[in-house]
Amino acid sequence: MTSLNRFIKMCIAVILVFAIIYLGSLVDFIFKPLLSLLTVVMVPLMLASFFYYLLRPLVNWMERPKLNRSLVILIIYLVIAILLVLFIIGVWPSLRTQFYNLMDNAPNLLNALSKQVQELEQNGILSVILPEGVSPLSQLTEYLNKGLSFLTNYVAGMFSFFSNFAVILFTFPILLFYMLKEGEKFGQKIVSFMPKRFREEGNKVMQDIDHALSNFIVGRVVVNVALGVLMYIGFLIIGLPYALLLTVVAIIMNFIPFIGAILSSVPIVIIGLIESPSVAIWSLVVILVAQQIQDNIISPYIFGKQLDIHPLTTIILVLVGGDAFGIIGMIVIIPGYMIVKIVVIKVYQLFFKHKWEDA
């Protein structure tokens, strides 16, 4: 009878939750301004959170009794500004030149790619790989058209993103400053709203979340930069055009687990194929060797066993995040999953473990 009463209570709770959601949808005009505000604040908040975990170890290391935290943060801001100026002077011109050359030569590159595919088709090489009756040139044209339409939509989305650049430019450094100064107190303030009997466990949960996010973000940056250095050296050795631009794209795309590596490899191999089939093969070899070094040497050393997520789970999460929220969803879905996993495990241990295991 007790079990039946619990089931009825759970059903009533679920019904009430759906009823609240339905009633909220009827008065969505109340929530739309809040959602718009959240959308504007979300990007600088995500950037601030990212750089908070990236810079916090440096701030903690530099903090001294005679050097307070605010002064340390300002010194780091000054160093970042100097590095940004050096990047703009030293690296950005080359990167910008490669980008503009790639855009200007896009029609010629497409024609050269078509010729390379026709030569491979005439030599019979593609017939060994592709099924009979499949025209690689038509397939290539179809995929390139889809890719161009996707790129057009993505660039349009980027323009809308940069239209709020002024908001990001002014709010992001301010948010980051206060997060670096007071960030370790945020978890304590959240726990203070809990009942006293749960505060000790709440502090442990906040520490676990903070530790997991810190290790993940710092580790991901180190791993991606190391991968980018390996790929760039390999691309220079094989003489791949637009090596710097393609490496930067690969570093950014590799923040998306699994799928990012595949997406960043496609333009690299295409540019290599335009140069020559041998360059395409060697560029693929460089990517595979760099990925193997990353997966088997760098990642285990950086992450250890801290990132306890099954590869299949990661792929499913990335696909769901991409379908729901696009590229940003692909990037933030893994940290979000880590937070939810830590909370769910702690809730299970507190409320359900003894009841279910002793039943």
Side-chain angles (χ1 to χ4, degrees):
M1 188 68 181
T2 305
S3 300
L4 181 61
N5 290 334
R6 288 180 181 174
F7 177 73
I8 293 173
K9 289 179 181 178
M10 290 179 62
C11 291
I12 293 173
V14 171
I15 292 171
L16 288 175
V17 170
F18 281 110
I20 292 171
I21 294 173
Y22 173 71
L23 292 174
S25 66
L26 296 178
V27 289
D28 59 343
F29 59 89
I30 297 176
F31 301 103
K32 280 184 178 179
L34 296 176
L35 290 174
S36 299
L37 179 62
L38 182 64
T39 303
V40 173
V41 176
M42 184 60 67
V43 174
L45 184 61
M46 286 170 48
L47 285 173
S49 301
F50 176 82
F51 282 98
Y52 164 71
Y53 283 108
L54 200 61
L55 296 175
R56 186 180 62 176
L58 181 60
V59 174
N60 293 337
W61 179 76
M62 290 179 61
E63 190 177 11
R64 297 289 186 273
K66 294 183 180 180
L67 201 63
N68 62 43
R69 200 171 184 86
S70 298
L71 183 58
V72 168
I73 297 169
L74 292 176
I75 292 172
I76 291 175
Y77 271 35
L78 179 61
V79 172
I80 291 174
I82 294 172
L83 292 175
L84 188 60
V85 170
L86 293 176
F87 172 82
I88 293 173
I89 296 173
V91 180
W92 176 249
S94 176
L95 195 63
R96 182 182 58 186
T97 301
Q98 290 190 16
F99 178 76
Y100 285 140
N101 288 340
L102 181 61
M103 291 296 100
D104 292 339
N105 293 331
N108 297 330
L109 294 175
L110 291 177
N111 292 331
L113 180 61
S114 300
K115 291 180 180 178
Q116 290 285 4
V117 173
Q118 285 178 346
E119 291 180 4
L120 293 174
E121 187 178 9
Q122 292 172 359
N123 295 333
I125 297 175
L126 293 178
S127 61
V128 179
I129 304 173
L130 298 175
E132 187 177 355
V134 175
S135 174
L137 191 57
S138 62
Q139 291 289 325
L140 178 64
T141 304
E142 180 183 352
Y143 289 138
L144 285 176
N145 288 332
K146 290 181 180 180
L148 289 173
S149 63
F150 170 79
L151 182 62
T152 303
N153 295 331
Y154 181 72
V155 170
M158 289 296 291
F159 276 118
S160 64
F161 170 81
F162 282 107
S163 64
N164 297 321
F165 182 74
V167 177
I168 298 171
L169 183 64
F170 287 104
T171 56
F172 157 63
I174 298 172
L175 286 172
L176 179 60
F177 179 86
Y178 283 103
M179 289 179 73
L180 288 171
K181 185 180 179 183
E182 307 287 343
E184 296 180 356
K185 299 179 182 178
F186 291 159
Q188 298 174 2
K189 292 179 181 178
I190 293 173
V191 172
S192 65
F193 291 101
M194 296 181 178
K196 290 184 178 180
R197 61 193 179 113
F198 295 126
R199 286 181 185 175
E200 184 178 354
E201 296 296 335
N203 282 322
K204 291 180 181 178
V205 169
M206 297 306 299
Q207 290 173 5
D208 290 343
I209 291 173
D210 181 74
H211 185 67
L213 290 178
S214 178
N215 288 335
F216 176 78
I217 291 174
V218 175
R220 180 58 63 186
V221 170
V222 172
V223 167
N224 285 358
V225 171
L227 177 68
V229 171
L230 292 172
M231 292 175 65
Y232 184 62
I233 293 172
F235 293 158
L236 291 178
I237 292 173
I238 66 174
L240 182 70
Y242 312 106
L244 179 61
L245 179 63
L246 293 173
T247 302
V248 171
V249 172
I251 292 174
I252 296 173
M253 294 301 295
N254 269 277
F255 278 98
I256 304 173
F258 289 102
I259 296 177
I262 299 172
L263 293 176
S264 63
S265 299
V266 173
I268 294 172
V269 175
I270 289 177
I271 295 296
L273 181 60
I274 292 171
E275 188 72 10
S276 71
S278 61
V279 174
I281 294 172
W282 279 112
S283 64
L284 187 59
V285 170
V286 169
I287 294 170
L288 293 176
V289 170
Q291 288 286 349
Q292 289 301 311
I293 294 174
Q294 179 203 39
D295 294 338
N296 298 307
I297 298 176
I298 302 175
S299 291
Y301 179 78
I302 297 296
F303 290 113
K305 295 183 179 179
Q306 295 169 351
L307 193 62
D308 187 19
I309 304 177
H310 194 276
L312 182 60
T313 304
T314 303
I315 294 172
I316 294 173
L317 288 172
V318 170
L319 292 175
V320 171
D323 183 65
F325 304 105
I327 293 178
I328 293 179
M330 292 181 181
I331 296 173
V332 303
I333 191 69
I334 300 299
Y337 170 79
M338 294 166 62
I339 294 172
V340 172
K341 182 180 178 181
I342 292 171
V343 174
V344 169
I345 289 174
K346 182 57 69 174
V347 170
Y348 170 75
Q349 292 174 346
L350 285 176
F351 299 102
F352 302 104
K353 183 177 181 179
H354 296 295
K355 294 180 182 179
W356 290 355
E357 291 183 359
D358 296 340

